Amino acid sequence: MASRPRLRRFALMAHVVSSVGWLGAVIIVLALAFTGLSSDDPQTLRGVYLAMDLTAWSVLVPLALASLLTGILQALGTKWGLFRHYWVVVKLLITAFATVVLLLYTQTLDHLASVAAQTTLSEEDLGALQTPSVVLHSAIALLLLLVATALAVFKPAGLTAYGWRKQHEQRAPRPAVDSAS
Amino acid sequence: MADPIPPARDHVAGHEPEARPGVPRWVKVFVVIAIVAIVTVVIINLAGGGDHGPGRHMSGSGADGTTAALSIAGATVVGGHRSPPAGHTS
């Protein structure tokens, strides 16, 4: 399923842009989360969690889905394949896991944003907004995305059983074509 | 991901290995780290009551019936510890 070089480069660019954009957005969310954790100013907390929720839905989720989709297309469109090399499989698992956790975690971000949007906050609300949960989740997301980036850059060796079989099939001498047939 | 595949990465060119090479060490290390991380998260969740979701962060504000309230616009806390803005003497 090898695609044309120009199309392949365009797909690669889309994958790199979406992945790097996702990484950058996670860093932004991490900075916001640290601000929310360390600040006890209600206006700051309100701005932090409203901005975080907006960032999640308008940047994080689209870029995560784009990164996952373009990554799969990229793998299928090249000779690397999706299940032939361990680094591709591991990277796919990391990206899929991070995307699923992100989609689930948007519920928490929605909830925090709805609390922050209230005109009046109780002390308990303020305490809930100063949760370390967002820092923890975004830090782990950043770590996972850095590992995925490292895998894409270094491409550590290792063929899966499927990849090894496919490579053997491709390198096996083809049967001679019978001129009479 | 679209870089050309170096032929010497997984085996020596022109010398096909007889048996399939085993799982690389880096994959084994990754799997061990992933399992440890997952088990740690499960233990933390179980120790914390098993509630891992939006509800975990809120526990019914105002349920104790106190009048503690904070106005974001005025940055005023009633019955709390925050300092009142200038001009207020609550």
Side-chain angles (χ1 to χ4, degrees):
Chain A
M1 194 175 165
S3 50
R4 294 177 180 177
R6 184 173 293 181
L7 184 63
R8 206 164 55 209
R9 285 183 183 177
F10 181 78
L12 176 62
M13 191 186 78
H15 182 58
V16 170
V17 167
S18 57
S19 300
V20 172
W22 185 11
L23 189 67
V26 168
I27 294 173
I28 294 295
V29 170
L30 185 59
L32 287 172
F34 267 119
T35 305
L37 185 63
S38 59
S39 173
D40 56 359
D41 175 43
Q43 293 195 36
T44 302
L45 287 172
R46 186 181 195 182
V48 159
Y49 286 103
L50 291 177
M52 203 182 286
D53 195 42
L54 181 67
T55 304
W57 283 111
S58 60
V59 182
L60 279 176
V61 169
L63 287 178
L65 293 174
S67 176
L68 181 61
L69 182 66
T70 56
I72 291 172
L73 292 177
Q74 192 59 22
L76 293 175
T78 63
K79 290 182 178 179
W80 284 104
L82 199 54
F83 301 108
R84 296 185 181 193
H85 297 263
Y86 279 111
W87 75 265
V88 180
V89 176
V90 171
K91 188 168 176 284
L92 172 68
L93 290 175
I94 288 174
T95 307
F97 175 77
T99 303
V100 169
V101 172
L102 169 64
L103 290 173
L104 294 173
Y105 200 65
T106 52
Q107 295 176 31
T108 298
L109 294 178
D110 285 345
H111 184 79
L112 292 172
S114 68
V115 171
Q118 294 174 19
T119 308
T120 303
L121 294 178
S122 67
E123 284 292 308
E124 196 170 359
D125 290 337
L126 276 178
L129 288 178
Q130 292 171 318
T131 173
S133 167
V134 190
V135 171
L136 188 67
H137 282 80
S138 49
I140 292 173
L142 179 61
L143 178 67
L144 286 175
L145 294 181
L146 285 175
V147 171
T149 304
L151 286 173
V153 170
F154 292 103
K155 298 179 175 58
L159 281 173
T160 63
Y162 172 76
W164 184 81
R165 197 167 60 245
K166 281 289 178 184
Q167 195 173 68
H168 251 265
E169 288 174 7
Q170 288 173 357
R171 288 171 181 252
R174 295 181 179 178
V177 179
D178 188 355
S179 58
S181 61
Chain B
M1 207 183 274
D3 297 345
I5 303 173
R9 296 296 295 268
D10 297 307
H11 57 81
V12 179
H15 180 71
E16 203 71 37
E18 291 296 322
R20 186 179 83 82
V23 178
R25 187 183 300 168
W26 72 266
V27 176
K28 293 176 183 173
V29 171
F30 179 86
V31 169
V32 169
I33 291 174
I35 289 172
V36 169
I38 290 170
V39 169
T40 304
V41 169
V42 169
I43 290 173
I44 289 173
N45 269 321
L46 291 177
D51 184 15
H52 187 87
R56 177 189 52 172
H57 305 295
M58 298 299 291
S59 55
S61 59
D64 57 353
T66 60
T67 57
L70 183 143
S71 166
I72 289 179
T76 305
V77 171
V78 179
H81 308 290
R82 204 171 307 280
S83 301
H88 288 247
T89 55
S90 57

